[in-house]
Amino acid sequence: MDEHRQPPQGVPAVPPGHDHAGRDAERAAPGGEHAGHAGHGGERAHAGEHAAHQGERPGAPGHPPVAATWGMAAQATLHCLTGCAVGEVAGMIIGTAAGLHNAASVVLSIALAFVFGYAFTMRGVLRAGVGLRAALKVALAADTVSIAVMEVLDNVVMVTVPGAMDAGLGSPLFWGSLAGSLAVAFVLTTPVNRWLIGRGKGHAVLHAYHGGH
């Protein structure tokens, strides 16, 4: 029997040991057959590092949830409360001076509360070097829910207290009712802000700019 068999027609002959030698050469070569795998691993590591620099988790776009505390939520609520208080007082003063009806004064106060609330947030974001349009988007995302909840609560209190809206700016009843309404809004809005921050929403979006307020 011929010990050197001829390969089938059309199939090139492979010298003995060539296939093993070729694989051994590939393994011995710099980078070897694992170079491609190492390259993929480097790409994944680079993507993860890039996501970390952006303040995001790999594969999770947007603002990642943070460990929300009651202190953080109270600070965020106080920030919104300041803008709301300034806007409401300004609205009441303008409404009284212009002789507006109570309903018109309330609408004006709510509008100014949003304006001042957003303005306070934008001021801090603009200091971080963010453009005006981007700063407005941050303020809308950070404060809209908080201000809306706060305005609903304190205006319900103001309308509910008998004679508070008709008392006028020189009456202790008006100022006492306003202070009480803002206190109620602060207490009931704080849990809302804590819930939002814990899910990466609300004032959590400010942490990328100046650590939140």
Side-chain angles (χ1 to χ4, degrees), residues 4 24 26 33 41-42 47 55 66 101 106 115-116 123 145 149 153 167 178 185 188 191 194 204 212:
H4 297 289
D24 291 339
E26 289 176 359
E33 62 181 275
V66 298
H101 189 269
V106 169
V115 169
F116 280 97
R123 181 183 60 179
V145 175
V149 172
L153 292 171
L178 180 59
L188 297 182
R194 185 172 186 266

Side-chain angles (χ1 to χ4, degrees), residues 17-40:
H18 177 75
D19 54 338
H20 297 290
R23 283 196 292 269
D24 291 339
E26 289 176 359
R27 295 192 185 98
E33 62 181 275
H34 298 290
H37 297 293
H40 291 303

Side-chain angles (χ1 to χ4, degrees), residues 65-124:
V66 298
T69 63
W70 284 109
M72 187 184 301
Q75 192 175 20
T77 306
L78 184 61
H79 175 88
C80 291
L81 183 68
T82 304
C84 288
V86 172
E88 287 198 19
V89 172
M92 292 298 176
I93 292 175
I94 294 173
T96 300
L100 299 179
H101 189 269
N102 288 342
S105 296
V106 169
V107 171
L108 178 61
S109 297
I110 293 175
L112 291 179
F114 275 95
V115 169
F116 280 97
Y118 291 145
F120 284 6
T121 296
M122 289 179 63
R123 181 183 60 179

Side-chain angles (χ1 to χ4, degrees), residues 161-213:
V161 176
M165 292 297 298
D166 297 321
L169 298 177
S171 170
L173 176 61
F174 171 79
W175 292 107
S177 301
L178 180 59
S181 68
L182 292 174
V184 170
F186 175 82
V187 171
L188 297 182
T189 306
T190 298
V192 176
N193 278 323
R194 185 172 186 266
W195 184 85
L196 290 171
I197 293 171
R199 283 153 183 78
K201 301 177 181 179
H203 270 234
V205 304
L206 298 180
H207 285 257
Y209 301 97
H210 47 78
H213 281 300

